[in-house]
């Protein structure tokens, strides 16, 4: 290894330097702008109550150069759903220090750490609910090439859709119509968290449950819900859990579908994000593409490759 840099274990005291690095090392402006939120989210060790039986297991390393300069970082975690899978959540290298083996050295160290935590496979994929991307954005071409060179096999693609928040249709007419049918749509409060987490666990799983719990009460985040007159939950929509400019997840029950409830929940969240200063929002890790296209004119924009390797 080039002795002009060395690998050190990440500590919480290093996080300001890591954030500063990511502001210059994340090549896409929308990622660099949220570097502080991304790093803080990926290093968050709390918030598993109610949906995960075990606390988070994290690993992180820095590439250091003379003068105690941070020139690279890698963050990893163990999957909440399957303890045999390790996630590489972030790797970033100072643009001036690339092609010197820094990324390779960081990857070797994080793979060893994840193996030590019990992982048999390692993936370049988001570990929801603590994630910044589903995988590697295809526009990060050097990262895609590096994944292939390091022996990762492409697993599956994922994509985001972009919603223009400047042209949102108001929700009031639809909310009035729903109220006439006995459906209330409102903002979730902390008193709703337990029931919403249970609702998500029963219908969609741990990742969504965690994102709901982390959206309610978080700065520049929130959640809206729809309930029948008898108190039955029909659906929810959340935003800001992973990143302030990202929407999701959202889910509605079979009983809610075809009634316009999902569209109202979506637009209420997007209106919040507009009020927070965003002109666009990323609908992350999209499933029902036609719904978002019809409801708010969203378009597919960010595409991600996901990768896997056996350790």
């Amino acid at each position: 290894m080039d002795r002009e840099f060395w690998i050190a274990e990440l500590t919480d005291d290093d996080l300001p330097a890591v954030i500063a690095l990511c502001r210059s090392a994340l090549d896409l402006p929308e990622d660099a702008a949220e570097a502080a939120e991304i790093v803080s989210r990926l290093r968050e060790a709390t918030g598993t109550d109610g949906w995960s039986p075990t606390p988070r297991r994290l690993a992180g390393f820095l590439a250091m150069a003379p003068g105690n300069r941070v020139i690279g970082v890698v963050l990893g975690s163990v999957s909440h759903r399957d303890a045999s899978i390790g996630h590489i959540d972030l790797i970033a290298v100072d643009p001036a220090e690339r092609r010197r083996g820094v990324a390779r050295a960081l990857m070797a160290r994080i793979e060893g750490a994840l193996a030590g935590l019990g992982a048999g496979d390692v993936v370049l994929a988001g570990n929801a609910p603590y994630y910044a991307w589903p995988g590697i954005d295809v526009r990060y071409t050097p990262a895609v090439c590096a994944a292939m060179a390091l022996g990762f096999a492409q697993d599956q693609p994922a994509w985001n859709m972009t919603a223009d928040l400047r042209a949102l249709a108001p929700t009031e007419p639809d909310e009035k119509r729903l109220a006439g049918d006995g459906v209330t749509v409102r903002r979730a409060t902390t008193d709703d968290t337990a029931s919403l987490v249970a609702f998500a666990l029963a219908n969609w799983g741990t990742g969504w449950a965690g994102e709901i719990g982390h959206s309610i009460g978080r700065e520049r985040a929130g959640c809206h819900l729809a309930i029948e007159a008898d108190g039955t939950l029909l659906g929810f929509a959340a935003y800001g859990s992973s990143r302030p400019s990202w929407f999701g997840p959202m889910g509605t029950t079979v009983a809610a579908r075809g009634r316009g409830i999902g569209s109202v929940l979506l637009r209420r969240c997007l209106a919040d994000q507009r009020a927070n200063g965003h002109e666009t929002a990323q609908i992350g890790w999209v499933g029902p593409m036609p719904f978002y296209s019809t409801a708010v004119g969203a378009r597919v924009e960010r595409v991600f490759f996901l990768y896997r390797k056996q350790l």
Side-chain angles (χ1 to χ4, degrees):
M1 184 180 72
D2 186 337
R3 291 307 303 169
E4 292 183 6
F5 72 86
W6 61 93
I7 306 302
E9 190 166 0
L10 175 71
T11 71
D12 288 344
D13 291 340
D14 300 313
L15 294 183
V18 169
I19 292 168
L21 168 71
C22 288
R23 287 187 175 128
S24 62
L26 297 177
D27 296 333
L28 297 179
E30 56 264 48
D31 292 339
E34 294 186 341
E37 292 85 357
I38 287 170
V39 172
S40 297
R41 184 62 173 157
L42 295 179
R43 288 293 292 176
E44 193 169 343
T46 61
T48 56
D49 295 343
W51 61 270
S52 175
T54 57
R56 297 200 74 201
R57 289 187 287 167
L58 305 174
F61 298 93
L62 302 174
M64 305 292 297
N68 286 325
R69 291 187 301 118
V70 176
I71 63 171
V73 63
V74 65
L75 305 179
S77 60
V78 176
S79 170
H80 302 291
R81 296 170 295 281
D82 184 342
S84 70
I85 297 175
H87 289 255
I88 296 174
D89 300 311
L90 167 71
I91 182 164
V93 177
D94 185 327
E97 304 289 346
R98 293 172 184 172
R99 299 185 179 278
R100 296 180 52 209
V102 176
R104 185 176 290 274
L106 287 167
M107 289 289 285
R109 185 63 66 89
I110 196 72
E111 287 178 11
L114 292 172
L117 291 173
D121 286 0
V122 63
V123 296
L124 297 169
N127 187 8
Y130 303 87
Y131 74 99
W133 308 271
I136 301 176
D137 189 305
V138 297
R139 292 172 291 175
Y140 282 113
T141 303
V144 171
C145 294
M148 297 170 66
L150 291 169
F152 284 85
Q154 191 172 328
D155 192 1
Q156 56 183 323
W159 48 84
N160 287 5
M161 298 181 80
T162 302
D164 187 341
L165 306 185
R166 297 167 296 183
L168 290 175
T171 60
E172 288 79 7
D174 292 320
E175 290 184 43
K176 184 176 180 180
R177 172 182 56 80
L178 290 170
D181 291 336
V183 176
T184 298
V185 182
R186 62 172 174 82
R187 185 182 305 277
T189 70
T190 53
D191 291 338
D192 299 307
T193 302
S195 59
L196 281 168
V197 167
F199 179 64
L201 286 171
N203 291 280
W204 297 286
T206 58
W208 283 19
E211 287 185 80
I212 291 171
H214 299 158
S215 296
I216 299 171
R218 182 182 291 270
E219 186 178 359
R220 293 191 292 166
C223 181
H224 295 262
L225 56 84
I227 55 176
E228 292 275 25
D230 64 1
T232 301
L233 273 168
L234 295 171
F236 75 93
Y239 68 94
S241 170
S242 57
R243 297 172 56 170
S245 63
W246 284 39
F247 167 86
M250 72 167 292
T252 56
T253 63
V254 174
R257 294 169 193 168
R259 300 166 69 179
I261 291 172
S263 176
V264 170
L265 291 168
L266 166 64
R267 285 182 284 141
R268 283 176 67 106
C269 288
L270 296 181
D272 283 355
Q273 291 178 288
R274 179 178 60 191
N276 288 336
H278 300 288
E279 291 189 349
T280 63
Q282 288 288 301
I283 303 172
W285 221 324
V286 169
M289 192 185 303
F291 165 75
Y292 292 109
S293 177
T294 300
V296 293
R299 64 189 185 277
V300 176
E301 188 171 77
R302 298 194 69 170
V303 178
F304 304 87
F305 291 153
L306 282 63
Y307 291 91
R308 178 181 294 264
K309 180 170 74 172
Q310 189 171 25
L311 294 175

